Amino acid sequence: MSEIKPTIAIIVAALKPDLAIGFQGKMPWRLRKEIRYFKDVTTKTSDPSKINAVVMGRKTWDSIPARFRPLPDRINIVLSRSFQNETVDTNVIHANSIANSLSQLQPNVERVFVIGGAEIYNELINDSRVTHLLLTEIENTNEDNQIAVDTFLKFPLYSTDSQWRKQPKSELQKFIGSSITLEDDISEGDLKYNYTLWTRRAG
Ligand SMILES: NC(=O)c1ccc[n+]([C@@H]2O[C@H](COP(=O)([O-])OP(=O)(O)OC[C@H]3O[C@@H](n4cnc5c(N)ncnc54)[C@H](OP(=O)(O)O)[C@@H]3O)[C@@H](O)[C@H]2O)c1
Ligand SMILES: *[C@@H]1O[C@H](CO)[C@@H](O)[C@H](O)[C@H]1NC(C)=O
Ligand SMILES: *[C@@H]1O[C@H](CO)[C@@H](O)[C@H](O)[C@H]1NC(C)=O
Ligand SMILES: *[C@@H]1O[C@H](CO)[C@@H](O)[C@H](O)[C@H]1NC(C)=O
């Protein structure tokens, strides 16, 4: 039997320039349209007989209110060093390493989205199995309203030897499909943001 190799993408929203993503175990902001984009992109499949999977750390799972989890219409893979590998509920898989979680995927999985948190993102950004990065780049437009943050991505995106390349918007549109509308420079409160796609250079 051949190994199943769905596309693996990181999806994350981060505040520039430091790529902050969290504060005291929670999200530093609540962006209504961004939440909808996340849901649409991670749920949609091009093949209607398939389903996507989301991979998250145990702390991110714990931070989702019980009534909102598992994230619906997606296989939820939760990573903890103290888990056994097992299917614990409909669409919920526990795994003790990323490799073990991927080896448990059924052939009906189209894409795998890594949805956080910081520890998981920072471990997987250099993993060659992750080929796509869906980054929502956020800017604070109000200097007088500093956003409290304590958790950051350590992504080597902007270094000169970076293996990651930001793709034109047309490539992002191709990746997410034409049924999802891409807006530019969305404003919610003091925050402005864009959806971007980065890919890892081959080799
Ligand atoms: N801005 C965004 O888009 C975004 C998205 C998601 C999360 N966040 C933020 O990120 C923060 C949470 O991040 P976090 O780093 O504290 O937690 P996390 O990455 O969600 O979870 C960390 C836990 O995952 C497990 N784990 C990590 N690496 C593993 C591995 N290789 N194998 C097996 N298990 C592994 C461990 O669980 P055990 O301790 O049980 O072993 C570890 O304690 C929050 O502030 C959250 O709001 C932001
Ligand atoms: C988890 O599954 C992997 C492969 O599927 C296996 O190699 C590993 O021993 C398993 N670990 C546990 C604790 O069950
Ligand atoms: C990932 O690789 C880059 C460049 O090789 C390195 O600078 C960075 O520290 C690595 N990140 C992690 C989390 O290992
Ligand atoms: C979003 O993209 C537009 C057009 O490329 C750019 O002018 C703007 O500065 C970007 N905003 C953010 C928050 O990155």
Side-chain angles (χ1 to χ4, degrees):
M1 207 179 82
S2 68
E3 203 191 330
I4 301 145
K5 287 197 169 163
T7 300
I8 307 180
I10 286 175
I11 184 164
V12 61
L15 179 65
K16 294 197 288 189
D18 303 331
L19 297 182
I21 63 162
F23 182 63
Q24 296 183 345
K26 302 201 188 78
M27 300 282 282
W29 45 75
R30 201 190 133 70
L31 301 171
R32 200 175 40 82
K33 285 188 173 180
E34 216 277 330
I35 292 169
R36 194 186 317 139
Y37 173 82
F38 169 85
K39 174 176 169 285
D40 290 347
V41 169
T42 57
T43 305
K44 204 198 126 204
T45 56
S46 59
D47 178 342
S49 72
K50 292 198 171 184
I51 187 167
N52 293 328
V54 291
V55 176
M56 71 193 96
R58 193 260 310 158
K59 292 179 183 172
T60 291
W61 170 266
D62 287 344
S63 78
I64 303 172
R67 66 183 186 285
F68 293 130
R69 66 184 200 217
L71 300 184
D73 307 318
R74 285 149 286 180
I75 295 176
N76 286 224
I77 301 173
V78 188
L79 292 175
S80 166
R81 294 190 176 86
S82 57
F83 282 163
Q84 301 292 318
N85 317 318
E86 57 181 339
T87 299
V88 290
D89 200 349
T90 312
N91 285 355
V92 182
I93 295 175
H94 280 179
N96 46 34
S97 77
I98 182 77
N100 291 348
S101 68
L102 297 178
S103 68
Q104 292 182 81
L105 291 176
Q106 301 295 312
N108 67 336
V109 171
E110 187 168 284
R111 283 176 173 167
V112 176
F113 291 96
V114 176
I115 65 163
E119 192 178 340
I120 300 293
Y121 286 139
N122 288 328
E123 277 176 52
L124 283 172
I125 189 64
N126 284 348
D127 187 317
S128 61
R129 287 171 294 195
V130 177
T131 52
H132 292 72
L133 166 64
L134 291 156
L135 173 65
T136 302
E137 294 187 309
I138 307 172
E139 246 169 45
N140 182 358
T141 60
N142 182 357
E143 283 177 13
D144 300 325
N145 177 21
Q146 286 306 307
I147 303 201
V149 294
D150 62 12
T151 308
F152 303 87
L153 298 177
K154 295 180 210 152
F155 282 11
L157 297 183
Y158 307 113
S159 67
T160 46
D161 62 345
S162 175
Q163 292 191 32
W164 290 94
R165 290 283 178 274
K166 195 195 269 196
Q167 298 298 320
K169 193 179 160 187
S170 55
E171 289 298 312
L172 172 58
Q173 187 75 70
K174 227 187 276 174
F175 186 79
I176 64 176
S178 55
S179 65
I180 299 173
T181 307
L182 275 182
E183 283 176 73
D184 259 340
D185 246 346
I186 302 170
S187 283
E188 291 196 52
D190 289 334
L191 299 181
K192 268 186 152 189
Y193 56 95
N194 287 324
Y195 304 121
T196 66
L197 171 69
W198 300 62
T199 58
R200 189 193 291 281
R201 267 165 48 186

